[in-house]
Amino acid sequence: MYEKFYGFEEKPFSLLPDPSFLYLGKQHSMAYSMFEYGLLNQAGFTVVSGEIGCGKTTLIRHLLNQLPMNLTVGLISNTHQSFGQLLQWVLLAFGLDYKGKENVELHEVFCDFLIKEYAKGRRTVLIIDEAQNLTTETLEELRMLSNINADKYQVLQLILVGQPQLKQKLSQPELEQFTQRIAVDYHLRALSEEETIKYIGHRVLHAGGSADLFTVKACKKVYQNTKGTPRLINVLCDTALVYGYAESAVQIDERIVNNVIEDKKESLAPRQVAEKENQPEAKDSPALDDSAVMAFAREMAEEFFSRLRKK
């Protein structure tokens, strides 16, 4: 709705993991370098973790766009508690037939596939996103799957990406053998205040807008209320643009961002009161939380259209 008013060619703060918008600050540059290092050095296991909404999936998408031609890559991105048979998902990730086959047959199909790829001079990489959802048994099955590699020949590499619970799970004693095979391990943190300012400017510029559309004070206020989490930054900035458009404001300043934050607090207040008796008291929680942010965005859009109708 505000794209034309601010001169955007596309929405600058979409929640979709679009690698073309990737801002490689210090943290994300290091995480991407770890991906590259693991691939170039033929690491058996590479593990990258990070908080919800910190940009892990966007990094994966960027990595997929940059991979050399001699790699065959499979991606599993829909892990869940009732994951089922690992090998079926692995074969599906590489476009192999898995239907109606027993475990032994599935393993044979995958081994034959790896050998054929290796014979072509290609290495095979399996990337698992949201890997914190994998059970201990499934992780152990992954370790056993890596035994396909023999001597100096690394035919299969595995990259696991997930939330902090992944690192906690891997620290369990029963996964010690798995942990010993991890060659690259990195935890992706949120953006700093300086990086948040650059991140906002980067996305605005990439979408075709003016780099100074958000004032420095507005960006600092965004950081204070999102703690530098990219997904929350996107939601807050996107809503601020809606507010700015409603006011015909040529620049998003601290006042507009404050209005968004205050309206969010008011809209969530009844829910917080209702849930207070059933929820433990939170300590040091950020002003914006990922669980309520989408509902808030919808409420703000409805309020915006209501204002337009009244005009």
Side-chain angles (χ1 to χ4, degrees):
M1 62 179 74
Y2 54 69
E3 289 91 336
K4 185 176 180 180
F5 181 78
Y6 288 114
F8 293 132
E9 297 172 2
E10 54 185 322
K11 291 186 67 173
F13 297 105
S14 170
L15 295 182
L16 297 175
D18 186 348
S20 68
F21 276 93
L22 179 64
Y23 169 71
L24 287 172
K26 181 180 179 181
Q27 288 286 322
H28 291 75
S29 292
M30 182 61 72
Y32 186 73
S33 295
M34 289 299 175
F35 280 137
E36 289 187 314
Y37 176 81
L39 289 173
L40 292 175
N41 288 273
Q42 300 188 33
F45 282 93
T46 297
V47 176
V48 173
S49 59
E51 299 291 343
I52 297 173
C54 71
K56 302 182 296 296
T57 302
T58 305
L59 270 177
I60 292 175
R61 300 296 177 184
H62 181 65
L63 179 68
L64 292 174
N65 289 340
Q66 304 298 322
L67 288 175
M69 297 298 293
N70 65 333
L71 293 180
T72 299
V73 181
L75 173 65
I76 298 176
S77 58
N78 53 351
T79 61
H80 44 79
Q81 294 299 323
S82 57
F83 189 61
Q85 281 191 297
L86 172 68
L87 274 171
Q88 289 183 334
W89 288 96
V90 172
L91 265 59
L92 177 63
F94 290 102
L96 303 173
D97 182 24
Y98 65 91
K99 296 179 180 178
K101 291 181 171 58
E102 299 293 333
N103 256 342
V104 174
E105 294 175 291
L106 294 171
H107 192 272
E108 182 181 17
V109 170
F110 190 51
C111 285
D112 289 344
F113 170 73
L114 293 175
I115 292 170
K116 289 178 182 178
E117 292 301 299
Y118 184 75
K120 298 175 186 176
R122 303 178 64 84
R123 285 185 290 121
T124 303
V125 180
L126 175 63
I127 302 174
I128 302 180
D129 196 8
E130 302 295 346
Q132 77 279 351
N133 294 326
L134 299 179
T135 63
T136 301
E137 292 74 18
T138 302
L139 288 168
E140 180 61 15
E141 192 176 348
L142 270 179
R143 183 187 69 81
M144 298 297 292
L145 197 61
S146 71
N147 288 337
I148 294 173
N149 297 316
D151 300 324
K152 62 181 179 180
Y153 303 108
Q154 194 79 27
V155 297
L156 175 65
Q157 292 180 255
L158 296 108
I159 297 177
L160 273 62
V161 182
Q163 296 171 22
Q165 299 93 305
L166 175 61
K167 290 178 68 69
Q168 297 171 8
K169 189 168 290 186
L170 293 176
S171 66
Q172 297 175 4
E174 54 266 39
L175 289 174
E176 182 178 358
Q177 291 188 68
F178 186 106
T179 304
Q180 290 177 355
R181 298 193 184 189
I182 298 174
V184 179
D185 184 8
Y186 186 75
H187 183 72
L188 180 62
R189 292 176 174 81
L191 303 174
S192 66
E193 182 180 81
E194 180 182 358
E195 287 178 322
T196 298
I197 296 172
K198 292 179 179 178
Y199 172 88
I200 293 172
H202 167 79
R203 293 189 72 102
V204 169
L205 266 178
H206 185 80
S210 173
D212 61 352
L213 175 59
F214 282 77
T215 67
V216 173
K217 287 186 177 181
C219 294
K220 288 183 177 181
K221 180 60 66 172
V222 169
Y223 171 75
Q224 292 171 12
N225 285 270
T226 63
K227 309 303 181 186
T229 301
R231 185 181 299 165
L232 299 182
I233 293 172
N234 287 1
V235 172
L236 181 50
C237 288
D238 183 68
T239 310
L241 287 170
V242 175
Y243 275 46
Y245 172 65
E247 297 180 9
S248 298
V250 296
Q251 194 172 43
I252 306 300
D253 56 17
E254 184 181 15
R255 179 189 60 82
I256 293 176
V257 175
N258 270 327
N259 287 342
V260 176
I261 295 167
E262 290 304 314
D263 286 351
K264 173 195 176 294
K265 290 178 180 177
E266 291 179 7
S267 67
L268 294 181
R271 185 186 311 168
Q272 292 171 346
V273 171
E275 296 178 351
K276 188 175 182 180
E277 294 182 358
N278 299 321
Q279 294 293 334
E281 185 177 354
K283 298 181 179 180
D284 299 323
S285 59
L288 285 174
D289 58 275
D290 196 51
S291 62
V293 82
M294 291 307 298
F296 169 63
R298 288 193 296 268
E299 289 173 9
M300 292 302 100
E302 290 172 3
E303 180 178 337
F304 169 77
F305 283 118
S306 176
R307 290 178 183 176
L308 286 184
R309 285 192 292 268
K310 290 179 181 179
K311 291 182 179 181

